[in-house]
Amino acid sequence: MATCFWLRSCGAPRLLLAPPGRRLRPCADCLRPTVGPTPGRAQLRSYARGPAGLSTELLRTDSFVGGRWLPAAATFPVHDPASGAALGMVADCGVPEARAAVQTAYEAFCSWRGVSVKERSSLLRKWYDLMIQNKDDLAKIITAESGKPLKEAQAEILYSALFLEWFSEEARRIYGDIIPMSPKEKRALVFKQPIGVAAIITPWNFPSAMITRKVGAALAAGCTVVVKPAEDTPFSALALAQLANQAGIPPGVYNVIPCSRAKAKDVGEALCTDPLVSKISFTGSTTTGKILLHHAANSVKRVSMELGGLAPFIVFDSANVDQAVAGAMASKFRNSGQTCVCANRFLVQRGIHDSFVKKFAEAIKRDLRVGNGFEEGTTQGPLINEKAVEKVEKHVSDAVSKGATVVMGGKRHQYGRNFFEPTLLSNVTKDMLCSHEETFGPLAPVVKFDTEEEAIAIANATDVGLAGYFYSQDPAQIWRVAEQLEVGMVGVNEGMVSSVECPFGGVKQSGLGREGSKYGIDEYLEIKYVCYGGL
């Protein structure tokens, strides 16, 4: 289990040490000479010494397979997006490790499927309890590897844990049916049985919640899992493995195989084509989802996917402007705009347009603060990497070149290369990139419209449909628009819709299936019909 030697030498009070007999491997940033002051390094030092020191027990770097921590032949660095410094070296698993993990999960499934629902429920509840007990350390890991402000990371951990609690309860509610039949001598029974090994492929923007939302349902159903976390944020998945082990989840039921970006394609293909894998669950881009679907199709695997979005946020003339602005702030700028359900296009009716833009700009200036996620008061952390920043720059540049007006922000923030100013654009038109591409950053483009029909047409003129939001005080309009928006989730006078009790998922090319809620566990169950005759 390697860790970053430079962080250790800076006095981080709770960083993981290498086990006896294994030498610490300094990360690349530790060896790189520094000329002049480097703000990123200074920022990393400030929280490595302080209360944000990462837990020695939870900061793991090896893969976790069959209840054991296993090193790989190679490692890859994980970087702090706020400073660019390497946080540590993580096991870089390849196809052989992926196939070995699947084999282990399959062997574990043969016994896990027979464990009573009461026991599965109890183990998930213990895992939940451990997450709550370690919530602060888990949140610090999220902030360190994703840059997310610490308060948001803390909220994510609570949200993550609630999925384990929810599915610990749903495990005991997997009901079958008895169906009345015409022949008196026959009875029809319907059973629900676990589907098998599930390959779980998760993104970096919610490195804990996207795991528990899938894994909680899978384990409750009686499935076992192999998790491939995003290369940017593997520490959260590995920390969850440590707690799952402590909770008594049997060896091989929860497995984690981190890998670098260079190996991600091959590992993903291996998971999707392995005959022992019965289910693929993926959250990420639509482009990657289509590739995985293609691989899974050859063996007709069960698939659920939560893919890209392009969420419209509609403000009608009848809306309460202050309420709409508050919802816009919550929807757009959470995690610096790096969520798949955040508002991507703001459609504002002409009569209320100027008032909304003015108040939106005032709220951005008043309430948002860019900085390191560990700093008190930070609401906007870095984007995950420079490529993400370049995409926001491209969208802003394209919009301005086509006539959009920059009301707020519009450029990189002086704090560091992965930081971008919260940006508000007006005079945006449908032909601009930000109107038909998902930005995934702190950019709020405002499009003016005249009629309800026009707004709905603009909102639906896309091949994706994950979430949509609108603000109105007209009851009839609320019913009409909620029914006509072509999305899987609708927020009416509400900017945040995610909840463990409610189904999460999209329509069109935004995905397949649903996660969370009572429906989420069905994604990991097969329905078996038994005809019992001769009675």
Side-chain angles (χ1 to χ4, degrees), residues 284-515:
S285 72
T286 299
T287 300
T288 301
K290 290 178 179 179
I291 295 171
L292 298 179
L293 272 171
H294 175 77
H295 292 315
N298 288 330
S299 52
V300 197
K301 296 191 192 303
R302 184 86 161 268
V303 174
S304 59
M305 295 197 168
E306 188 252 289
L307 306 176
L310 192 66
F313 189 105
I314 308 171
V315 186
F316 291 104
D317 281 345
S318 66
N320 179 312
V321 178
D322 292 331
Q323 188 182 46
V325 168
M329 293 289 289
S331 177
K332 175 72 259 183
F333 293 108
R334 183 165 57 113
N335 198 19
S336 299
Q338 299 174 111
T339 84
C340 45
V341 293
C342 74
N344 201 84
R345 303 167 290 159
F346 291 83
L347 314 178
V348 185
Q349 200 159 10
R350 184 174 299 274
I352 209 170
H353 175 274
D354 292 350
S355 175
F356 176 84
V357 171
K358 178 182 178 183
K359 290 188 175 185
F360 198 6
E362 291 171 350
I364 292 171
K365 183 177 181 179
R366 179 185 66 242
D367 298 336
L368 300 184
R369 179 176 179 270
V370 176
N372 189 300
F374 283 107
E375 293 177 355
E376 185 69 28
T378 292
T379 64
Q380 302 290 284
L383 274 66
I384 191 64
N385 52 41
E386 191 164 12
K387 184 177 179 181
V389 177
E390 290 171 353
K391 185 174 185 181
V392 181
E393 281 184 321
K394 178 183 178 181
H395 280 197
V396 172
S397 175
D398 171 79
V400 171
S401 71
K402 294 175 180 176
T405 301
V406 177
V407 180
M408 293 285 296
K411 61 184 184 299
R412 296 194 187 210
H413 196 279
Q414 61 184 5
Y415 199 91
R417 69 179 184 179
N418 286 344
F419 293 83
F420 201 89
E421 295 176 342
T423 299
L424 176 61
L425 300 180
S426 64
N427 298 319
V428 173
T429 56
K430 293 181 290 183
D431 63 321
M432 297 174 183
L433 286 177
C434 58
S435 292
H436 55 83
E437 284 187 8
E438 187 176 28
T439 303
F440 232 66
L443 170 60
V446 179
V447 178
K448 188 185 297 184
F449 71 89
D450 290 302
T451 67
E452 178 183 312
E453 294 75 17
E454 180 187 1
I456 292 172
I458 295 172
N460 290 342
T462 174
D463 58 6
V464 293
L466 188 57
Y469 311 86
F470 71 92
Y471 280 71
S472 171
Q473 298 297 314
D474 180 342
Q477 184 177 60
I478 287 173
W479 280 111
R480 289 194 304 269
V481 177
E483 291 178 351
Q484 292 181 61
L485 282 180
E486 296 173 356
V487 296
M489 299 170 285
V490 180
V492 182
N493 297 323
E494 176 57 57
M496 296 179 68
V497 297
S498 300
S499 172
V500 296
E501 300 87 356
C502 302
F504 191 103
V507 299
K508 301 182 183 179
Q509 294 187 31
S510 280
L512 302 165
R514 293 295 182 268
E515 294 184 338

Side-chain angles (χ1 to χ4, degrees), residues 205-258:
N205 58 339
F206 287 91
S208 179
M210 296 303 95
I211 291 175
T212 58
R213 190 163 73 186
K214 300 171 187 293
V215 171
L219 269 57
C223 298
T224 57
V225 300
V226 176
V227 178
K228 191 208 83 64
E231 58 271 12
D232 296 297
T233 55
F235 288 126
S236 290
L238 296 169
L240 288 175
Q242 172 67 8
L243 296 182
N245 200 33
Q246 289 181 21
I249 303 294
V253 172
Y254 178 79
N255 307 278
V256 183
I257 50 165

Side-chain angles (χ1 to χ4, degrees), residues 47-60:
Y47 70 72
R49 286 197 180 111
L54 306 179
S55 166
T56 57
E57 184 179 14
L58 296 179
L59 192 69
R60 300 285 176 157

